[in-house]
Amino acid sequence: MAETLSAPQAERKKIIFSGIQPTGVFTLGNYIGAIRNWGKLQEDYRCVYCVVDLHAITVRQDPAALRRHTLEAYALLMACGIDPEKSILFIQSHNPHHAECAWVLNCCTQFGELSRMTQFKDKAARYADNINAGLFTYPVLMAADILLYQADLVPVGVDQKQHLELARDVAGRFNNAFGKTFVLPDGYIPKADEGARIMSLQDPTRKMSKSDPNPKGFVAILDEPDVIMKKFRSAVTDSEARVAYAPGKDGINNLMSIYSVFTGKSFPVIEEEFAGKGYGDFKTAVGEAVAETLRPIQERYKELMGDKAYLEECYRRGAQQAMAISGRTLEKVYKRTGFIPSGR
């Protein structure tokens, strides 16, 4: 059973919070940059993880697809090593405290702060026909996600640092106005190999993304082995045909980074291993390493998706555990804000 977050301060492990959207496709970039590390963190931290389906609806969603993708994302997190007996793993919309706390924090957030969010500008340009209020204020919901669990650390990539800074600013503003209520979270910076930035296989100057117009540019965690092999064999490299890490060799550098992550081999060892061999041999080796690592994840995912009753048991228990913690924070927030206790 995942431990509660009320251990005595002297023996208290730091709390980590993170969430991921149910996009329908988790790429190799998602796996290497975030998900594979979440399982490792369970051993040294008290972890709270969730599928952030409330965030997903800032972009128009098909309801049936959203339900399916949410369950699939939950199962895939478990298949990738998130253990509901060690961590709290839940679905965001199952805990109403997130939306409730977000409203209070909205009233502590300045319009100008939100208007400077670069992701809002990017998404507003991309979805010009649906620039809704949720798209504008979702960084405040993200702040509520984090602050409700008194998280000490939040794993963040470069594109999320601005949101973490906002969460800290809003928490500090509330604390100054109403008394110490929230922990001010810090970013969790993974080791260099754990936070490897994985680039598109077809345009290695761009981050790997499921929205890549060329489906050969990204590898999905659930891609079949033969699909994985085809994508790596068609990966863009250069004309030098020498496996060596060097500035400007974006394609081969990206493949070497991926191979290093999946084999644990350093770049000098990789260069020695493939000395005198061409890119064809190397691409095959990278594809095989990735396919073999993903195989047990895919098998476990299929098992979980075949047992919907067990998944439901896990996500319901996870929501109860999450609400037990977030409820204490929200009660304190409401009291200090000046609301009359509801007695619920």
Side-chain angles (χ1 to χ4, degrees):
M1 183 70 68
E3 60 179 320
T4 63
L5 305 187
S6 57
Q9 188 69 27
E11 57 189 56
R12 177 182 178 275
K13 290 182 179 179
K14 287 189 175 182
I15 300 163
I16 279 187
F17 176 90
S18 197
I20 193 164
Q21 287 202 36
T23 61
V25 176
F26 286 179
T27 70
L28 205 60
N30 298 134
Y31 176 69
I32 293 175
I35 301 171
R36 77 185 181 110
N37 301 322
W38 289 9
K40 299 176 185 177
L41 294 173
Q42 295 175 129
E43 306 306 321
D44 299 314
Y45 300 91
R46 289 180 294 162
C47 299
V48 182
Y49 298 128
C50 75
V51 179
V52 290
D53 53 342
L54 293 177
H55 285 289
I57 65 170
T58 57
V59 175
R60 191 81 65 207
Q61 301 284 338
D62 173 78
L66 178 60
R67 280 190 288 271
R68 184 177 70 254
H69 292 161
T70 300
L71 187 63
E72 290 171 349
Y74 190 92
L76 194 50
L77 288 177
M78 290 179 63
C80 287
I82 308 304
D83 185 348
E85 299 298 325
K86 295 180 179 179
S87 299
I88 294 175
L89 178 62
F90 68 104
I91 296 169
Q92 185 187 28
S93 63
H94 290 181
N95 184 353
H97 298 159
H98 289 245
E100 293 180 59
C101 186
W103 174 251
V104 177
L105 297 183
N106 267 322
C107 298
C108 296
T109 307
Q110 300 302 301
F111 185 91
E113 290 176 309
L114 293 177
S115 66
R116 290 191 291 272
M117 294 289 110
T118 55
Q119 283 206 11
F120 168 71
K121 296 175 183 177
D122 293 343
K123 286 193 173 183
R126 202 183 320 163
Y127 304 102
D129 60 339
N130 185 27
I131 307 175
N132 57 76
L135 188 63
F136 187 68
T137 63
Y138 88 94
V140 184
L141 177 58
M142 188 180 295
D145 298 338
I146 298 165
L147 299 177
L148 275 169
Y149 301 95
Q150 305 294 351
D152 300 288
L153 299 168
V154 181
V156 288
V158 175
D159 57 347
Q160 296 293 342
K161 285 184 178 179
Q162 194 180 30
H163 291 150
L164 180 60
E165 290 170 2
L166 178 73
R168 287 176 55 87
D169 290 344
V170 173
R173 189 173 297 135
F174 189 95
N175 288 349
N176 290 335
F178 300 106
K180 181 64 186 301
T181 306
F182 298 116
V183 170
L184 270 59
D186 289 316
Y188 172 81
I189 309 300
K191 298 175 184 177
D193 64 321
E194 292 178 344
R197 185 175 175 86
I198 303 305
M199 313 306 283
S200 166
L201 298 183
Q202 293 299 309
D203 181 0
T205 63
R206 296 173 51 204
K207 183 179 177 182
M208 182 180 285
S209 170
K210 76 178 186 68
S211 59
D212 193 318
N214 187 342
K216 294 181 180 179
F218 68 90
V219 173
I221 295 178
L222 296 177
D223 275 347
E224 296 289 338
D226 61 330
V227 173
I228 293 173
M229 295 304 300
K230 287 178 182 177
K231 289 182 177 180
F232 276 107
R233 284 175 179 145
S234 66
V236 169
T237 48
D238 54 67
S239 59
E240 189 176 336
R242 186 170 68 90
V243 179
Y245 194 94
K249 296 181 59 173
D250 297 323
I252 197 65
N253 292 347
N254 186 42
L255 292 178
M256 289 181 70
S257 294
I258 294 171
Y259 191 64
S260 176
V261 166
F262 280 88
T263 64
K265 298 176 181 178
S266 67
F267 288 168
V269 169
I270 294 171
E271 291 175 3
E272 183 177 348
E273 179 182 353
F274 290 92
K277 297 181 181 179
Y279 285 165
D281 290 335
F282 183 54
K283 290 179 180 181
T284 297
V286 178
E288 289 175 346
V290 171
E292 195 56 35
T293 301
L294 295 182
R295 189 187 309 278
I297 293 173
Q298 295 173 353
E299 291 173 353
R300 177 59 176 154
Y301 170 79
K302 290 176 183 177
E303 290 177 6
L304 289 166
M305 288 302 293
D307 191 350
K308 299 296 199 308
Y310 175 64
L311 283 177
E312 182 176 354
E313 175 190 334
C314 290
Y315 66 65
R316 288 189 182 278
R317 184 173 72 242
Q320 291 171 355
Q321 293 170 331
M323 290 179 68
I325 300 156
S326 60
R328 293 195 294 270
T329 300
L330 186 64
E331 183 180 10
K332 189 183 296 184
V333 168
Y334 272 18
K335 181 178 180 179
R336 293 184 174 176
T337 301
F339 298 152
I340 295 174
S342 67
R344 63 178 178 181

